[in-house]
Amino acid sequence: QVQLVESGGGLVQPGGSLRLSCAASGSIFSINALGWYRQAPGNKRELVASITTSGGTNYADSVMGRFTISKDNAKNTVYLQMNSLKFEDTAVYYCNARITTLAFKYLEVWGQGTLVTVSS
């Protein structure tokens, strides 16, 4: 069993900042990739940012230069620093992890989601 627990969402004004965290726990042998996705009402879930085991990052064009993904391997935690937030960043943000378990099974796991609302 592997779980992802997210935190850090909330209400913020345009131009403000938030930091999301996602901690993985359970029968983890290795974490192969981590990412943040978001889904706004009426929209499909989309990739926001991802980070590989070696630290390589990838960002959606819409967040490039404003959001930063990082990870703490010792804590099995991934972060999303969101700056210069815009109305259109309002969405439920989901953490995603691709994990090899202690039983050497490959799993893709999702967090429960955390709501980010950008509003004045």
Side-chain angles (χ1 to χ4, degrees):
Q1 295 273 347
V2 176
Q3 286 186 320
L4 300 179
V5 178
E6 301 160 0
S7 59
L11 175 65
V12 63
Q13 293 185 340
S17 298
L18 280 176
R19 188 193 195 205
L20 305 183
S21 300
C22 172
S25 63
S27 302
I28 299 171
F29 175 75
S30 65
I31 298 178
N32 307 313
L34 292 161
W36 288 96
Y37 290 71
R38 67 185 180 187
Q39 187 168 17
N43 290 357
K44 294 182 180 180
R45 190 173 297 188
E46 63 175 0
L47 176 67
V48 176
S50 63
I51 187 166
T52 66
T53 52
S54 60
T57 58
N58 181 52
Y59 295 94
D61 289 343
S62 59
V63 307
M64 187 79 69
R66 299 188 297 121
F67 291 10
T68 302
I69 188 170
S70 61
K71 63 189 177 81
D72 184 330
N73 292 329
K75 296 181 179 180
N76 283 342
T77 299
V78 62
Y79 305 97
L80 186 67
Q81 178 67 43
M82 305 185 293
N83 298 329
S84 302
L85 283 159
K86 304 177 180 180
F87 292 118
E88 52 264 41
D89 294 319
T90 295
V92 177
Y93 284 71
Y94 296 91
C95 177
N96 174 274
R98 300 178 184 182
I99 292 170
T100 301
T101 69
L102 294 175
F104 296 100
K105 292 184 179 180
Y106 186 80
L107 295 179
E108 182 174 20
V109 186
W110 291 90
Q112 81 281 3
T114 185
L115 178 63
V116 172
T117 303
V118 183
S119 176
S120 55

